[in-house]
Amino acid sequence: GDMYGNNDGGGGGRAPRDDSNKTPSATTLFVANLPFDVDDAGLKQMFAAHNARAAHVVYRRGGERSKGYGFVDFHNNADQQAALAALDNHAVGDRTLAVRVALSEFEDTNPSSDGAGDGAGG
């Protein structure tokens, strides 16, 4: 018998391939449908009116072509929400941005790491 069959009964919700370990980020937005010529600086510029703290475009392996989406970090939830409302469905060139709240995986290993980077970034 297959003990690990399709266990659709019960609201266990402990599926390993689940988003249950992720929670909506309070300060990061996921931005899709970006024009391919937009880079980190261009993405940040789009959200500059909402005090974007940092922006990161996701590139294909090799790094010369954008995948058409990225992430934008904000200082607080108010800025994040304002940017979400303002830029979702916003036309950029011949595209229409799709903005969502990013999901962050919470790990309790270092809950108080607030901006204490050790220079290993970039």
Side-chain angles (χ1 to χ4, degrees), residues 15-94:
R17 207 55 60 90
D18 191 12
D19 277 345
S20 60
N21 64 329
K22 299 182 182 182
T23 49
S25 169
T27 54
T28 305
L29 289 178
F30 169 78
V31 186
N33 214 26
L34 287 171
F36 288 117
D37 58 350
V38 171
D39 58 7
D40 290 7
L43 179 58
K44 186 175 179 181
Q45 186 63 40
M46 276 183 211
F47 290 84
H50 303 283
N51 304 313
R53 188 170 66 82
H56 173 65
V57 174
V58 178
Y59 284 89
R60 296 179 187 282
R61 201 172 305 148
E64 70 282 342
R65 184 169 163 87
S66 161
K67 283 192 169 187
Y69 60 88
F71 297 88
V72 184
D73 281 317
F74 298 89
H75 294 280
N76 54 54
N77 182 248
D79 286 345
Q80 180 213 43
Q81 292 297 322
L84 172 64
L87 276 299
D88 191 21
N89 294 320
H90 178 73
V92 176
D94 57 349

Side-chain angles (χ1 to χ4, degrees), residues 86-109:
L87 276 299
D88 191 21
N89 294 320
H90 178 73
V92 176
D94 57 349
R95 290 172 164 263
T96 303
L97 295 184
V99 185
R100 300 286 178 266
V101 174
L103 291 179
S104 59
E105 298 189 38
F106 269 116
E107 294 152 24
D108 298 329
T109 50

